[in-house]
């Protein structure tokens, strides 16, 4: 069964925030296409005001402050406020009392084909299970952004200083052609070392890993001006493993500032073991998703069709950016009540479409979107003009369906005349 993208994004059913009392009501001047265009023109302003409302600010702050202390699915479902934000971020407010279901979904994950999230035919459950991963992961300094930069800078500085000293020797001064050739070779070697170091260093998670790679060690020892320690494997291992926080650590006992700096830089003794929930990026991402979903729910309170269109506008690019196959993305569309509804309405598909074989649904959907909107690959939906055509088609069909009696042709022409596409 196709699985949803790993990144967290709401792709679910109808707005689940209905019935809530919102302290901020979005302004939508008119319904259908007119209301949609007005909302798009004021979207950032309205979202900013909405995010600053008391309830949204309070719940977002609580989630970001507390989620890092949660170590299991059981602890998550036990805190109703945390669970509410988590579920809201995935458009699942209506599952707030389904604690056993949510716990099972998170605990089982998505790796097994028979995992509950995979069997529910709703990509929201898959996205939730993928996001709330309580497996502990150890992170190392070597994997942090920018780790390689100061080491490579020091390495290149020393190599170029040695190069300048060498080129100043009479043999090179008296033979400029050979000197130029030698300099070019050194620069080429620097580029090779730089590329190899950047690509390889994130995989180094222990002193043993580092010492086993002569190319990395050449860069490291040169950067820390410790080439004279190259043959002292046992000493270097202890220096790297013991760190510098303990006064009896070997680097401190030796009183060698170069080795102290080397040990501090790699910090193998300071590796952190934590879950993804304990990272600032996770809390911030889910809080952002929560605020977006709450805003979309508030819009849906005013106009359900525009609310769904807003969800669609945000969900499609995220799905397109995921690393699953093009076919799997279309299966995800059919597994999402919201995305399926937008496409089926925009394409004016018959009511019984969802009852035919799922593979035939995908085939039909792909044929129809290519014929109607020129979409040959799912990535085409990343084009704002094409995405807008789908949304406008959906809103147009929604508005026509709400009109009764004769004159639907004239209604359609009138509505189409209000559509404004971005200039290309």
């Amino acid at each position: 069964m196709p699985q949803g993208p790993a990144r967290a994004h709401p792709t679910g059913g109808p707005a689940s925030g209905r019935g809530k009392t919102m302290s901020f009501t979005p302004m939508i001047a008119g319904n259908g296409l007119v209301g949609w265009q007005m909302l798009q023109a004021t979207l950032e302003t309205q979202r900013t005001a909405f995010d600053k409302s008391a309830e949204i600010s309070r719940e977002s702050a609580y989630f970001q402050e507390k989620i890092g202390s949660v170590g299991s699915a059981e602890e998550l479902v036990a805190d109703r406020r945390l669970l509410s934000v988590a579920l809201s971020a995935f458009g699942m407010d209506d599952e707030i009392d389904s604690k056993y279901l949510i716990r099972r979904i998170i605990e089982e994950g998505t790796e097994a084909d028979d995992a509950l999230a995979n069997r529910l035919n709703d990509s929201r459950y898959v996205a939730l299970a993928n996001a709330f991963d309580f497996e502990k992961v150890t992170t190392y300094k070597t994997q942090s952004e920018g780790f390689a930069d100061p080491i490579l800078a020091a390495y290149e500085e020393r190599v170029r200083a040695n190069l300048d000293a060498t080129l100043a020797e009479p043999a090179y001064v008296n033979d400029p052609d050979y000197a130029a050739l030698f300099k070019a070779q050194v620069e080429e070697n620097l580029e090779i070392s730089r590329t190899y170091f950047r690509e390889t260093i994130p995989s180094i998670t222990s002193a043993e890993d580092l010492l086993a790679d002569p190319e990395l060690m050449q860069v490291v020892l040169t950067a820390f001006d410790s080439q004279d320690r190259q043959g002292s494997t046992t000493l270097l291992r202890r220096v790297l493993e013991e760190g510098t926080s303990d006064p009896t650590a070997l680097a401190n006992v030796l009183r060698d500032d170069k080795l102290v700096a080397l040990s501090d830089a790699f910090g193998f003794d300071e590796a952190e073991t934590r879950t993804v929930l304990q990272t600032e990026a996770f809390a911030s991402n889910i809080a952002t998703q929560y605020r977006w979903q709450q805003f979309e729910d508030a819009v849906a309170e005013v106009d359900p069709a525009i609310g769904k269109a807003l969800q669609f506008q945000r969900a499609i690019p995220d799905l397109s950016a995921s690393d699953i196959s093009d076919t799997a993305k279309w299966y995800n569309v059919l597994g999402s009540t919201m995305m399926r509804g937008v496409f089926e309405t925009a394409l004016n598909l018959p009511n019984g479409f969802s009852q035919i074989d799922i593979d035939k649904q995908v085939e039909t959907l792909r044929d129809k979107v290519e014929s109607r909107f020129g979409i040959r690959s799912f990535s085409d939906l990343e084009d704002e003009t094409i995405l807008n055509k789908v949304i406008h088609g959906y809103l147009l069909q929604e508005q026509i369906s709400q009109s009764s009696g004769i004159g639907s042709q004239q209604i359609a022409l009138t509505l189409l005349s209000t559509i404004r596409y971005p200039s290309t």
Side-chain angles (χ1 to χ4, degrees):
M1 177 176 181
Q3 293 186 7
R7 69 174 62 191
H9 66 275
T11 57
S16 51
R18 299 179 185 180
K20 288 185 177 181
T21 300
M22 295 289 181
S23 56
F24 177 94
T25 301
M27 286 179 53
I28 302 177
N31 59 356
L33 290 168
V34 174
W36 171 256
Q37 290 178 336
M38 183 273 179
L39 177 64
Q40 291 295 294
T42 60
L43 186 59
E44 290 306 313
T45 301
Q46 293 207 53
R47 277 205 63 228
T48 299
F50 182 84
D51 290 350
K52 290 180 179 179
S53 61
E55 179 185 353
I56 300 301
S57 297
R58 182 174 60 250
E59 296 308 301
S60 295
Y62 180 81
F63 183 88
Q64 291 181 270
E65 178 186 351
K66 299 292 185 180
I67 193 61
S69 64
V70 174
S72 68
E74 182 180 8
E75 292 179 17
L76 175 63
V77 301
D79 188 321
R80 191 175 181 86
R81 288 181 70 185
L82 286 180
L83 183 62
S84 176
V85 172
L87 293 178
S88 294
F90 295 89
M92 297 168 62
D93 303 61
D94 52 342
E95 301 286 2
I96 188 64
D97 293 316
S98 305
K99 293 185 177 181
Y100 176 73
L101 172 69
I102 299 303
R103 180 177 172 181
R104 271 197 62 189
I105 286 170
I106 293 174
E107 289 178 343
E108 292 182 16
T110 60
E111 290 187 8
D113 290 339
D114 62 349
L116 184 57
N118 294 331
R119 292 190 282 116
L120 290 175
N121 196 33
D122 187 330
S123 59
R124 294 177 302 167
Y125 295 106
V126 174
L128 177 71
N130 284 334
F132 283 84
D133 184 354
F134 286 96
E135 181 179 354
K136 291 186 176 180
V137 177
T138 302
T139 56
Y140 301 86
K141 279 190 174 182
T142 53
Q143 298 167 337
S144 60
E145 185 177 356
F147 173 83
D149 294 345
I151 295 176
L152 286 173
Y155 168 68
E156 293 180 26
E157 181 181 356
R158 288 196 167 86
V159 169
R160 288 203 168 90
N162 291 335
L163 173 63
D164 291 342
T166 300
L167 294 177
E169 294 175 3
Y172 292 91
V173 172
N174 296 329
D175 192 342
D177 291 338
Y178 180 68
L181 182 63
F182 180 75
K183 181 177 181 180
Q185 185 61 59
V186 170
E187 291 293 341
E188 182 179 345
N189 290 342
L190 272 174
E191 180 60 30
I192 292 172
S193 296
R194 184 187 303 118
T195 300
Y196 181 78
F197 192 88
R198 289 191 184 281
E199 292 178 350
T200 309
I201 202 63
S203 67
I204 301 301
T205 59
S206 68
E208 185 176 356
D209 289 345
L210 182 60
L211 292 166
D213 192 317
E215 292 182 63
L216 290 181
M217 283 305 297
Q218 179 184 358
V219 173
V220 170
L221 292 177
T222 301
F224 290 92
D225 195 18
S226 298
Q227 299 95 315
D228 58 325
R229 302 285 191 178
Q230 187 169 3
S232 306
T233 303
T234 301
L235 179 145
L236 289 172
R237 178 180 284 107
R238 283 192 57 189
V239 165
L240 288 165
E241 290 178 343
E242 294 177 13
T244 60
S245 57
D246 188 337
T248 64
L250 183 58
N252 294 327
V253 171
L254 293 174
R255 296 185 179 181
D256 185 327
D257 291 341
K258 299 172 185 176
L259 293 181
V260 169
L262 170 62
S263 184
D264 282 339
F266 282 86
F268 288 120
D269 62 315
E270 301 173 359
E272 294 184 357
T273 300
R274 56 184 180 175
T275 69
V276 68
L277 277 72
Q278 294 170 319
T279 64
E280 182 178 346
F282 176 86
S284 176
N285 179 53
I286 297 297
T288 298
Q289 299 291 352
Y290 162 74
R291 289 190 291 267
W292 253 115
Q293 186 65 42
Q294 291 296 300
F295 180 74
E296 289 165 354
D297 288 350
V299 171
E301 288 279 355
V302 179
D303 189 305
I306 292 179
K308 184 179 285 189
L310 192 59
Q311 283 187 319
F312 184 85
Q313 183 185 49
R314 183 165 66 98
I316 285 293
D318 277 355
L319 178 55
S320 181
S322 66
D323 57 4
I324 58 178
S325 70
D326 202 71
T327 299
K329 290 171 185 176
W330 287 111
Y331 277 106
N332 267 264
V333 166
L334 295 177
S336 161
T337 305
M338 176 271 295
M339 288 192 283
R340 170 191 279 273
V342 170
F343 275 112
E344 287 183 349
T345 302
L347 296 168
N348 200 23
L349 294 173
N351 292 333
F353 176 71
S354 62
Q355 303 305 312
I356 67 176
D357 178 77
I358 187 68
D359 294 329
K360 186 64 176 176
Q361 289 184 51
V362 170
E363 180 184 345
T364 302
L365 186 60
R366 296 177 82 163
D367 287 344
K368 292 289 187 181
V369 296
E370 181 175 357
S371 175
R372 176 74 175 81
F373 302 114
I375 299 170
R376 294 181 174 84
S377 169
F378 202 93
S379 62
D380 292 340
L381 284 161
E382 295 176 26
D383 185 319
E384 184 180 353
T385 299
I386 293 177
L387 182 61
N388 280 336
K389 285 181 179 179
V390 177
I391 293 172
H392 291 166
Y394 161 71
L395 291 170
L396 174 63
Q397 292 297 331
E398 276 287 314
Q399 204 162 351
I400 290 175
S401 70
Q402 294 172 15
S403 303
S404 59
I406 60 174
S408 60
Q409 296 270 351
Q410 182 61 41
I411 294 170
L413 289 173
T414 301
L415 293 173
L416 283 170
S417 70
T418 68
I419 300 177
R420 296 192 300 273
Y421 292 108
S423 58
T424 57

